[in-house]
């Protein structure tokens, strides 16, 4: 079957120790419950964003990148420049033939 991904898949002692640790950290935050929820959420989102901003991969090489890799962009630009030069040369030849 499919492995369970609910909170009961952790050993109960480990799950409860994590909850107690998080609760102890949030109890140190001054303010009411809404402030604690905000701080906890902000910290969690910040932790989730660490891989995004600390990547040391080249553009287009990471798993979720929607950008083209640098090598592809460079080769495409080179081909476009070459095509433009060839096209200019071809037009110059056609112009010189017609004169």
């Amino acid at each position: 079957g499919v492995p369970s991904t609910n909170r009961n898949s952790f050993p109960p002692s480990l799950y409860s120790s994590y909850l107690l640790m998080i609760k102890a950290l949030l109890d140190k935050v001054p303010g009411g419950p809404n402030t604690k929820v905000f701080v906890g959420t902000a910290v969690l989102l910040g932790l989730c964003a660490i891989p995004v901003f600390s990547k040391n991969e080249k553009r287009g090489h990471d798993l979720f990148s929607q950008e083209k890799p640098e090598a592809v962009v460079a080769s495409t630009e080179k081909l476009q420049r070459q095509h433009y030069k060839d096209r200019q040369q071809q037009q110059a030849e056609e112009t010189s033939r017609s004169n």
Side-chain angles (χ1 to χ4, degrees), residues 27-72:
D27 283 341
K28 294 180 180 182
V29 175
N34 290 338
T35 305
K36 293 177 184 187
V37 168
F38 175 76
V39 169
T41 303
V43 168
L44 183 65
L45 289 175
L47 290 173
C48 291
I50 287 174
V52 173
F53 295 110
S54 68
K55 67 180 184 177
N56 53 0
E57 301 253 341
K58 292 181 182 176
R59 183 178 78 178
H61 287 272
D62 56 341
L63 184 60
F64 298 110
S65 178
Q66 295 181 0
E67 299 174 331
K68 291 181 182 178
E70 291 177 18
V72 173

Side-chain angles (χ1 to χ4, degrees), residues 2-92:
V2 177
S4 173
T5 57
N6 63 10
R7 72 178 195 185
N8 294 328
S9 62
F10 286 109
S13 62
L14 182 62
Y15 184 74
S16 63
S17 67
Y18 279 137
L19 284 179
L20 289 174
M21 182 178 67
I22 292 170
K23 185 176 179 342
L25 288 173
L26 286 176
D27 283 341
K28 294 180 180 182
V29 175
N34 290 338
T35 305
K36 293 177 184 187
V37 168
F38 175 76
V39 169
T41 303
V43 168
L44 183 65
L45 289 175
L47 290 173
C48 291
I50 287 174
V52 173
F53 295 110
S54 68
K55 67 180 184 177
N56 53 0
E57 301 253 341
K58 292 181 182 176
R59 183 178 78 178
H61 287 272
D62 56 341
L63 184 60
F64 298 110
S65 178
Q66 295 181 0
E67 299 174 331
K68 291 181 182 178
E70 291 177 18
V72 173
V73 172
S75 66
T76 304
E77 289 174 355
K78 181 179 176 185
L79 287 172
Q80 287 174 342
R81 274 189 246 113
Q82 184 63 39
H83 176 73
Y84 181 71
K85 283 181 183 177
D86 293 345
R87 185 76 178 137
Q88 279 185 328
Q89 189 176 23
Q90 185 181 24
Q91 286 177 349

